[in-house]
Amino acid sequence: MTYYPDRPDSPLEALPSKIILSLFQAVVWLFWWLSLVEHLKALSIFLGTKLVKSSTEDARYLAPRSIAIDLYEILKWISLISFFMSENISIWMVVITFYLLASNLFSHFYYHLWRHVPVNEISHQQMQRRFASFLLAFTFAIVAYGLIYYSMPEQILWPEASVSVQNALYMSSANTFTLTYGDAGPVSSAARALFVSQVIYAFVFVVMIISKSLPGQS
């Protein structure tokens, strides 16, 4: 039994006839192996096979996998909240937040678009879980970008000149839905690039979900 049942195909399988596809597959393969949640799922499946004596797929694979995903989501939120509660947001907190944002986007890209799963093989409960996962991931992205904005107070013109958690979350939410800020906004090139990246991030997220929700899509 493999402990990585969700792993992507090797990029070598597309060679030599599909060079461009193999390059994309190599990037997906690299990001997948760098994703912490995949290794957490593998560990959970390994423990499940050792501790649970059952021959059913749900007990050996699906249940441990779901537990690992839920645990990872909880740990992500705990990390983000603890960063906000810190007196000083260090560069490592920002780096970890960027990693969690990248992993957040990649996981949904991989499981909603890149990895093909026929719609008729997805149960209603799995669709509910996907929807809940999307809401959590989308909200996490808004809060995570808010943390990054909060860590760079001098590069942003803040509402009412007040650097606060509330204003950081407000600006992140407004930027996600491309609302106007009034007199607030980025004042440096790095902040502008960050604001643009959030709009692109949110757009990709929405497009991924809508494209998989259209009738006739699989």
Side-chain angles (χ1 to χ4, degrees), residues 47-69:
L47 294 176
T49 58
K50 300 299 182 182
L51 301 177
V52 180
K53 303 301 180 182
S54 175
S55 59
T56 64
E57 181 184 14
D58 183 72
R60 292 185 296 111
Y61 164 62
L62 296 180
R65 180 178 180 274
S66 296
I67 292 173
I69 294 173

Side-chain angles (χ1 to χ4, degrees), residues 90-107:
S90 68
I91 184 62
W92 288 110
M93 293 179 184
V94 176
V95 170
I96 292 172
T97 302
F98 270 118
Y99 169 81
L100 293 175
L101 277 169
S103 177
N104 192 40
L105 182 62
F106 174 77
S107 292

Side-chain angles (χ1 to χ4, degrees), residues 21-210:
L21 176 60
S22 67
L23 292 176
F24 274 92
Q25 189 66 25
V27 174
V28 170
W29 185 88
L30 176 62
F31 273 90
W32 192 89
W33 283 104
L34 290 175
S35 181
L36 180 60
V37 66
E38 301 301 337
H39 301 293
L40 188 60
K41 287 192 293 185
L43 176 61
S44 184
I45 293 172
F46 170 76
L47 294 176
T49 58
K50 300 299 182 182
L51 301 177
V52 180
K53 303 301 180 182
S54 175
S55 59
T56 64
E57 181 184 14
D58 183 72
R60 292 185 296 111
Y61 164 62
L62 296 180
R65 180 178 180 274
S66 296
I67 292 173
I69 294 173
D70 290 344
L71 178 60
Y72 181 73
E73 288 292 333
I74 293 172
L75 291 175
K76 281 200 315 182
W77 279 101
I78 291 176
S79 299
L80 197 58
I81 293 172
S82 65
F83 293 166
F84 261 118
M85 295 176 64
S86 301
E87 293 184 3
N88 296 309
I89 300 177
S90 68
I91 184 62
W92 288 110
M93 293 179 184
V94 176
V95 170
I96 292 172
T97 302
F98 270 118
Y99 169 81
L100 293 175
L101 277 169
S103 177
N104 192 40
L105 182 62
F106 174 77
S107 292
H108 281 75
F109 162 78
Y110 181 74
Y111 287 101
H112 286 272
L113 287 180
W114 194 265
R115 185 171 180 265
H116 177 70
V117 178
V119 172
N120 57 8
E121 294 183 9
I122 300 177
S123 66
H124 181 65
Q125 187 178 47
Q126 288 174 315
M127 290 298 297
Q128 290 176 321
R129 184 178 176 85
R130 279 191 171 192
F131 179 70
S133 176
F134 166 73
L135 288 181
L136 281 173
F138 197 71
T139 305
F140 179 86
I142 294 175
V143 178
Y145 267 100
L147 175 71
I148 299 173
Y149 295 156
Y150 191 53
S151 71
M152 47 194 304
E154 297 179 356
Q155 301 185 54
I156 296 174
L157 184 62
W158 294 82
E160 302 175 350
S162 175
V163 181
S164 65
V165 173
Q166 293 80 1
N167 279 341
L169 294 178
Y170 159 73
M171 295 189 70
S172 180
S173 300
N175 195 44
T176 296
F177 298 103
T178 62
L179 303 177
T180 57
Y181 314 105
D183 294 330
V187 294
S188 70
S189 57
R192 293 187 192 97
L194 186 63
F195 272 59
V196 171
S197 74
Q198 185 180 15
V199 174
I200 296 173
Y201 191 106
F203 175 78
V204 172
F205 242 112
V206 172
V207 167
M208 283 193 294
I209 298 303
I210 290 179

